[in-house]
Amino acid sequence: MKQAILTSKQAIEFSEIEKPVIKSNEILMKVKKIGICGSDIHAYYGEHPFMSFPIRLGHEMAGEVVEVGAEVKDIKIGDLVTTMPQEFCHECEPCKNGRYNICNSLQVIGCQTPGAACEYFNVDAALIKKIPEGMNDELAAMVEPAAVGVHAVRSGSNIKGMNVVVMGAGTIGNVTAQAALAEGAKSVLITDLSDYRLDVAKQCGITHTANTGKTSMKEAIEQAFGNEGADIFFECVGIGATVNQAIEFSKKGHDIVIVGVFGSTPAINLAWVQDREYRIIGSLMYVEKDFQDTIDYMAAGKINMKPLLSKTFKFDDYAEAFKYIEQNKDTSLKVLIEM
Ligand SMILES: [Zn+2]
Ligand SMILES: [Zn+2]
């Protein structure tokens, strides 16, 4: 079968290897679609702090089951599936507390172990999720990023009835905003510097959008929530400026959730964090319940991923897809590879 390996900076090499032989606890999928994620892009440019060459990418995937191991129950040949890409130890303190997303020895498929950028992919059946009818392989490949948003809105105080600000309307900001509404937020404002990304957010049902290059955060919050103010901030950009903006406009004693991935260590206004008893909370990936609920929200139309899909490339054009993303930074969101 064919596979694609990222061998060094901006170098994807195709090779032929044997089709995997599954263990009794595994399934084999014929990979249908994989998604390219922000972390893949960092890896492609050799800028990912926790990934190294060579690596077979692909942690966002959709596949059709073609073989089922002897011990596997409830998964059949022909099922459309996706994978929760976290391999964890089951034994460390976070794992024992059900927080395996922060396992002390977490390995992510397609980041630290070989991913699904190949024709056939074998996975532990415990990591497999079935996709319900009505969802196609494009949507199946976008469950993984959507689940990041569902976990994020569960990371702080209960989101129900809250006025929510999501900073950043990239894929993760978008899904965080949608998840906030799905989980009962009163009102959601999403901000970005790209009108394209804000327009996609509108198509996904986020009513309040603001381009903070044109409108100040203060005005945007007033327009969205009147004099009620913002109850919780989700930072989905990964830069110090937005964290400090959240600190500036948050209500005393409220939560600021950090979902963005930071490439550097910014200076943060911790004097205000202390003085105003802000709670700064990190959010990483998701656990099984977040993932299953994401599938259910997508099946029910409460999280709409379709507007996020910018373009689909053939597997042979995998490298082209990275170039496209680079050249269309502000006018593209999710890019999929058709295998
Ligand atoms: Zn991803
Ligand atoms: Zn663990």
Side-chain angles (χ1 to χ4, degrees):
M1 70 164 188
K2 189 156 73 174
Q3 67 170 1
I5 305 284
L6 182 64
T7 54
S8 62
K9 226 172 152 174
Q10 290 173 265
I12 287 173
E13 284 179 20
F14 288 96
S15 49
E16 279 295 324
I17 54 162
E18 289 296 315
K19 194 168 149 182
V21 176
I22 58 168
K23 298 189 194 114
S24 58
N25 64 324
E26 290 182 333
I27 63 99
L28 186 71
M29 67 170 81
K30 168 97 183 67
V31 182
K32 294 284 194 183
K33 296 266 173 24
I34 59 171
I36 298 182
C37 169
S39 61
D40 297 324
I41 296 161
H42 287 303
Y44 184 74
Y45 291 102
E47 290 164 357
H48 197 293
F50 310 117
M51 286 170 75
S52 51
F53 305 122
I55 179 75
R56 192 171 79 197
L57 298 173
H59 64 274
E60 304 176 0
M61 69 191 83
E64 184 187 328
V65 176
V66 291
E67 279 179 42
V68 178
E71 291 170 35
V72 177
K73 294 183 179 72
D74 303 327
I75 299 171
K76 302 186 307 295
I77 289 172
D79 283 346
L80 178 63
V81 295
T82 188
T83 302
M84 297 177 285
Q86 298 140 310
E87 296 178 348
F88 52 99
C89 77
H90 295 89
E91 280 161 16
C92 68
E93 185 186 293
C95 280
K96 280 186 176 151
N97 290 328
R99 299 176 71 183
Y100 67 81
N101 58 315
I102 50 168
C103 169
N104 288 338
S105 44
L106 179 70
Q107 292 209 301
V108 179
I109 292 171
C111 297
Q112 287 85 34
T113 67
C118 56
E119 288 177 285
Y120 293 92
F121 190 51
N122 56 316
V123 189
D124 182 347
L127 302 179
I128 289 291
K129 281 289 179 193
K130 282 203 269 188
I131 300 300
E133 273 183 39
M135 276 173 70
N136 61 16
D137 57 11
E138 289 176 347
L139 293 177
M142 292 192 278
V143 169
E144 194 275 343
V148 174
V150 171
H151 182 73
V153 301
R154 293 170 173 179
S155 299
S157 304
N158 192 335
I159 200 89
K160 277 201 180 69
M162 281 204 188
N163 289 330
V164 175
V165 178
V166 176
M167 309 170 98
T171 299
I172 296 303
N174 180 301
V175 296
T176 300
Q178 292 199 59
L181 287 173
E183 301 249 297
K186 182 179 178 189
S187 188
V188 176
L189 163 68
I190 192 165
T191 65
D192 202 282
L193 297 173
S194 155
D195 286 329
Y196 166 79
R197 287 193 286 262
L198 292 170
D199 187 54
V200 172
K202 271 185 210 146
Q203 290 171 44
C204 294
I206 313 303
T207 39
H208 301 293
T209 63
N211 185 325
T212 36
K214 300 171 186 168
T215 308
S216 73
M217 183 58 83
K218 186 172 183 290
E219 279 173 324
I221 289 171
E222 278 168 9
Q223 280 166 14
F225 311 132
N227 55 14
E228 291 178 5
D231 297 312
I232 187 166
F233 282 80
F234 291 88
E235 202 284 345
C236 301
V237 182
I239 59 169
T242 38
V243 178
N244 283 323
Q245 216 169 24
I247 288 170
E248 187 181 346
F249 292 102
S250 181
K251 290 180 186 171
K252 285 188 173 186
H254 282 237
D255 294 352
I256 297 166
V257 182
I258 307 295
V259 196
V261 176
F262 287 74
S264 63
T265 313
I268 300 298
N269 183 2
L270 291 177
W272 280 33
V273 173
Q274 180 273 325
D275 184 65
R276 299 172 168 223
E277 289 202 353
Y278 292 142
R279 300 197 317 153
I280 296 191
I281 298 160
S283 183
L284 176 73
M285 299 184 85
Y286 36 73
V287 292
E288 196 270 341
K289 181 171 174 20
D290 305 319
F291 206 91
Q292 182 59 55
D293 290 347
T294 302
I295 293 172
D296 296 344
Y297 282 143
M298 286 173 68
K302 288 188 172 183
I303 292 181
N304 178 12
M305 296 302 283
K306 197 124 203 283
L308 281 88
L309 178 55
S310 298
K311 205 168 161 76
T312 302
F313 287 83
K314 296 268 181 225
F315 191 28
D316 285 337
D317 300 324
Y318 197 17
E320 289 300 311
F322 284 94
K323 283 191 199 111
Y324 168 83
I325 294 166
E326 173 65 20
Q327 286 160 4
N328 297 276
K329 261 187 191 149
D330 287 332
T331 51
S332 70
L333 282 167
K334 202 78 224 166
V335 170
L336 296 181
I337 305 297
E338 182 170 15
M339 307 299 288

